[in-house]
Amino acid sequence: MPGVRRIDEKNSRRLETGLYSRGLLRIGIVAPLEEPMANYDVVFEGGGAKGIAFVGALEVLQQRQHTIRRAIGTSAGAITATLCAAGYAPAELLSAIIEKKDGKPRFTSFMDIPEARDFSPAMQAASLTQKVLNDINLPGFPEWVEKKIDVALMKELLQHRIYARLFSFIECGGFYSGRTFLAWMQEKLAAKGIGPNDTLADFAAKKKDTDLSMVVSDTTDMEMLVLNNRTAPNVPVAHAVRMSMSIPFVWQEVIWQQAWGTYMGRAKEGNIVVDGGLLSNFPIRLIAETDANIEQIMGSANPNGAGNLGLLIDERLPVPGAANTDKTPEPGSSLRTIKRTSRLVDTMMGASDNEAILNFSKYVCRLPAKGYGTLEFDMTEGRREAFLEAARTAMKNHLGAAVSATGSGN
């Protein structure tokens, strides 16, 4: 069956025999095993706020007692993959998503306006803003007075909500700091026994049931990186997720730190890393194909030990109960630049990996997301529930199609 590993025949017979001896199969209370428990290698697509749909799909997998052997994610998919591998059940994931602070969804706090403390004195001194201030000559003022004025102006500018975002965009590659998200991720991991500085190697040692990988984009060396305990063991888990969700122009870029070591033996210190969706938003090749490079990255795994499942956020499929429109909500910001960026991001995140999606379509479960925005972290309860229900239905249909295909001999 595409995407499903059947339990072995001996255990299947033992279970059905046990049920029959209790009279459950004979009187029809329990149906024969049509869809056995299965292990999956799951790829979670990137999609920002649209990643909420994964919870609906995971609920169905849990109800049918399916488990995840390997979890691979990009951007929002990296968040879900990491929390799943850490031991979060779908209900816990949903609680984290709908959690509120000061009456607002906590997810909206991820659009956090940078503060002066986010910019080191060295960065401020080397900034374009400082260059402009240095180039402006104030007639009649001695140089030492001008320098004091420049320092005061820089301080005041970085206290301004609008200018702080513009400064961050120019100097750090994104309007928002990402500091709040990192703290949230560390908090959620701590609840499952993962420390704020625990590395990918530490995570693998503590969480042995599910192998975790995240996709990021190295814009310095212009390559896709797959972060896991084999390729980048010294990278802290929370920072790996922060790298993968760093949508270009939205959140500040992440600089690879010396303490994080190498990537597959290659130095990366000082490299700029952003959202994996820039190069591969749906890395299903990592589980659907195998070659020497993929095996080096993903490790050796029994190809018959798990089925393949790709959870794809499909912006072309309408969500029942929601408006059938191609227009996505714009972020609640007064900056027109941020609104332009939002539209660019929605386009970018939906345009990659098309060839792989076609080649491995039998493994792909398409989760409806038409009209939902990548940065729509403040979606209403009604829109969210419609979104989740559409994902539940899609997952049920995908699993049902796989069972039907097996029954017909395909």
Side-chain angles (χ1 to χ4, degrees):
M1 169 167 52
V4 176
R5 176 183 64 84
R6 287 197 177 277
I7 53 178
D8 64 83
E9 192 174 324
K10 179 180 178 181
N11 285 334
S12 179
R13 284 200 305 270
R14 181 184 301 161
L15 180 55
E16 290 202 14
T17 300
L19 291 172
Y20 193 87
S21 67
R22 293 174 176 82
L24 299 180
L25 280 175
R26 186 168 56 251
I27 63 178
I29 292 179
V30 176
L33 294 177
E34 295 180 353
E35 186 191 334
M37 289 181 288
N39 217 5
Y40 282 95
D41 291 340
V42 182
V43 169
F44 298 89
E45 189 192 20
K50 292 178 287 189
I52 291 172
F54 296 140
V55 175
L58 290 169
E59 286 175 353
V60 176
L61 287 178
Q62 182 190 53
Q63 290 165 5
R64 303 192 182 193
Q65 301 183 61
H66 298 325
T67 55
I68 299 176
R69 181 179 71 167
R70 296 193 290 184
I72 303 98
T74 297
S75 193
I79 300 171
T80 307
T82 300
L83 293 180
C84 284
Y88 275 80
E92 293 174 302
L93 286 174
L94 183 58
S95 294
I97 289 170
I98 65 176
E99 182 182 4
K100 291 188 176 183
K101 185 176 182 179
D102 300 327
K104 296 181 180 180
R106 198 165 173 193
F107 267 34
T108 61
S109 69
F110 296 166
M111 313 287 274
D112 48 351
I113 295 174
E115 300 175 6
R117 63 189 172 109
D118 293 316
F119 313 114
S120 68
M123 178 184 291
Q124 293 181 36
S127 68
L128 183 61
T129 299
Q130 188 63 61
K131 184 180 186 305
V132 170
L133 291 174
N134 291 342
D135 288 346
I136 296 175
N137 181 43
L138 298 176
F141 287 88
E143 185 177 346
W144 67 271
V145 173
E146 282 196 45
K147 287 184 177 180
K148 284 186 174 293
I149 293 173
D150 290 348
V151 170
L153 283 173
M154 176 69 81
K155 182 178 179 180
E156 289 301 314
L157 285 170
L158 292 181
Q159 298 298 324
H160 195 282
R161 290 171 56 88
I162 292 178
Y163 196 83
R165 281 176 282 179
L166 293 176
F167 186 94
S168 178
F169 180 81
I170 294 168
E171 303 299 335
C172 304
F175 289 107
Y176 302 107
S177 76
R179 182 183 357 95
T180 305
F181 169 79
L182 180 62
W184 177 86
M185 194 72 210
Q186 291 171 330
E187 173 192 316
K188 297 307 174 187
L189 288 172
K192 296 297 182 180
I194 304 298
N197 296 313
D198 276 1
T199 65
L200 290 166
D202 296 329
F203 187 94
K206 292 181 178 181
K207 304 294 180 179
K208 299 180 184 296
D209 291 339
T210 302
D211 185 81
L212 173 65
S213 296
M214 286 167 269
V215 175
V216 304
S217 299
D218 179 348
T219 63
T220 301
D221 290 340
M222 296 183 289
E223 65 172 333
M224 181 182 89
L225 309 181
V226 182
L227 306 182
N228 55 42
N229 66 296
R230 293 168 293 277
T231 62
N234 296 322
V235 173
V237 183
H239 285 275
V241 183
R242 170 68 181 85
M243 283 189 263
S244 189
M245 62 73 69
S246 186
I247 297 175
F249 313 131
V250 178
W251 282 283
Q252 293 177 358
E253 302 157 338
V254 178
I255 309 298
W256 191 287
Q257 302 299 304
Q258 181 181 20
W260 299 352
T262 62
Y263 174 78
M264 298 184 73
R266 291 184 278 118
K268 290 291 181 182
E269 181 186 355
N271 282 21
I272 294 173
V273 185
V274 299
D275 194 320
L278 186 65
L279 296 177
S280 182
N281 206 34
F282 190 60
I284 196 165
R285 283 188 61 253
L286 295 175
I287 63 170
E289 291 183 343
T290 185
D291 56 33
N293 184 54
I294 290 178
E295 187 168 329
Q296 184 181 14
I297 292 170
M298 299 301 297
S300 300
N302 178 5
N304 298 316
N308 297 326
L309 175 62
L311 297 181
L312 177 72
I313 299 170
D314 195 332
E315 293 82 3
R316 298 171 302 175
L317 295 180
V319 174
N324 186 357
T325 175
D326 291 320
K327 187 175 182 181
T328 58
E330 293 184 335
S333 172
S334 60
L335 283 181
R336 288 190 295 273
T337 307
I338 291 179
K339 294 179 179 180
R340 292 191 189 103
T341 300
S342 175
R343 292 192 292 269
L344 174 64
V345 166
D346 280 332
T347 302
M348 179 185 71
M349 301 298 272
S352 60
D353 300 297
N354 287 333
E355 183 178 355
I357 292 169
L358 290 174
N359 289 342
F360 305 115
S361 58
K362 65 182 178 180
Y363 304 135
V364 177
C365 175
R366 296 175 177 272
L367 308 178
K370 189 174 183 180
Y372 283 74
T374 302
L375 302 181
E376 193 184 348
F377 292 104
D378 57 349
M379 67 177 68
T380 64
E381 182 178 349
R383 274 178 65 77
R384 183 179 66 240
E385 183 51 40
F387 201 25
L388 289 169
E389 186 58 31
R392 296 180 190 114
T393 300
M395 189 75 259
K396 291 174 185 176
N397 291 341
H398 178 78
L399 294 176
V403 171
S404 298
T406 299
S408 64
N410 294 330

